[in-house]
Amino acid sequence: DQQVKQNSPSLSVQEGRISILNCDYTNSMFDYFLWYKKYPAEGPTFLISISSIKDKNEDGRFTVFLNKSAKHLSLHIVPSQPGDSAVYFCAASLPYNNNDMRFGAGTRLTVKP
Amino acid sequence: DAGVTQSPTHLIKTRGQQVTLRCSPKSGHDTVSWYQQALGQGPQFIFQYYEEEERQRGNFPDRFSGHQFPNYSSELNVNALLLGDSALYLCASSWGQNSNQPQHFGDGTRLSIL
């Protein structure tokens, strides 16, 4: 039962353009959402998070949008840089249980110079 | 400030054997969670340890067990290894059992079962 889905296994964008990574979830009880970035041979690195009481959170070039009614969140990277090339995982957790995260399968982002 | 460290980085075992993986949490963290990441998939939650006790458990059989020590480090034990146990095993740490703080991950142990 995959409660968090990333339907695009890969995405390719040009340097300087916007990258938009999408994530859908099925459990309306999730209240905390995170994005992690993973380089080969390294563990996932926390990127940005959002609580269900918000619909947007911004940190530099990274912005996460949450649409609770559609059970959808997205990560926007503007402008995209070649160093952003990595696998991006969306994750979600239930109230008072944020150490049990449910992950999507990941989207491989390639930013071309 | 050391991050999450895991050992070993790679391990090869045969079916039926037992394995122990180790994790030291990030300095200042007291909660450790273990995840299994199969090829092409996202990490799947195995269990969480806090105050030396297993607090939460995902959908994994009893062959998967763990331990947390007084210094907050943790071990993951897998008995009667199956071919399907081949995966990257990730340890993640955070402060507090239910704080809204993101977990920090180690680089993982790549386990291969022959």
Side-chain angles (χ1 to χ4, degrees):
Chain A
D1 176 24
Q2 193 155 5
Q3 299 184 53
V4 178
K5 295 180 182 179
Q6 294 177 256
N7 292 318
S8 298
S10 63
L11 175 68
S12 181
V13 299
Q14 207 66 37
E15 180 179 6
R17 299 289 187 102
I18 184 171
S19 295
I20 300 177
L21 296 98
N22 294 302
C23 178
D24 297 295
Y25 60 96
T26 57
N27 190 339
S28 59
M29 297 299 293
F30 286 142
D31 75 336
Y32 187 53
F33 303 89
L34 309 93
W35 284 94
Y36 281 83
K37 179 170 71 173
K38 188 179 186 301
Y39 293 118
E42 293 183 12
T45 302
F46 169 72
L47 198 55
I48 192 169
S49 64
I50 188 167
S51 163
S52 61
I53 62 173
K54 295 185 175 181
D55 54 18
K56 177 182 174 181
N57 189 26
E58 195 171 352
D59 184 2
R61 297 186 297 115
F62 302 91
T63 303
V64 55
F65 295 92
L66 175 62
N67 182 334
K68 288 189 292 292
S69 60
K71 297 193 186 69
H72 178 84
L73 68 156
S74 60
L75 174 68
H76 292 210
I77 307 174
V78 183
S80 301
Q81 300 173 353
D84 296 329
S85 296
V87 177
Y88 289 78
F89 291 100
C90 166
S93 63
L94 296 167
Y96 307 108
N97 200 11
N98 62 287
N99 288 315
D100 171 5
M101 291 190 292
R102 309 302 167 94
F103 282 84
T107 296
R108 181 177 299 279
L109 173 66
T110 303
V111 181
K112 298 179 179 179
Chain B
D1 180 17
V4 180
T5 58
Q6 293 186 242
S7 63
T9 53
H10 294 86
L11 203 49
I12 299 175
K13 292 285 188 178
T14 56
R15 282 180 298 174
Q17 285 189 310
Q18 178 264 343
V19 69
T20 298
L21 311 181
R22 296 176 175 81
C23 171
S24 291
K26 179 179 168 65
S27 178
H29 286 182
D30 59 4
T31 303
V32 172
S33 297
W34 287 91
Y35 290 81
Q36 180 195 66
Q37 186 181 9
L39 202 60
Q41 298 181 23
Q44 278 198 297
F45 176 72
I46 302 175
F47 43 53
Q48 174 207 46
Y49 275 84
Y50 174 70
E51 291 186 338
E52 302 179 48
E53 289 190 18
E54 181 183 300
R55 301 290 180 168
Q56 302 285 345
R57 189 177 183 93
N59 189 24
F60 279 81
D62 292 345
R63 298 187 296 109
F64 290 77
S65 63
H67 190 77
Q68 186 179 34
F69 300 94
N71 66 353
Y72 308 122
S73 66
S74 177
E75 288 180 350
L76 164 65
N77 301 294
V78 187
N79 294 322
L81 287 165
L82 303 173
L83 292 178
D85 295 331
S86 295
L88 179 68
Y89 288 85
L90 293 162
C91 171
S93 73
S94 60
W95 179 86
Q97 186 182 5
N98 291 315
S99 65
N100 243 10
Q101 299 288 326
Q103 290 182 292
H104 292 248
F105 283 85
D107 290 340
T109 294
R110 172 74 61 188
L111 176 63
S112 299
I113 312 301
L114 303 180

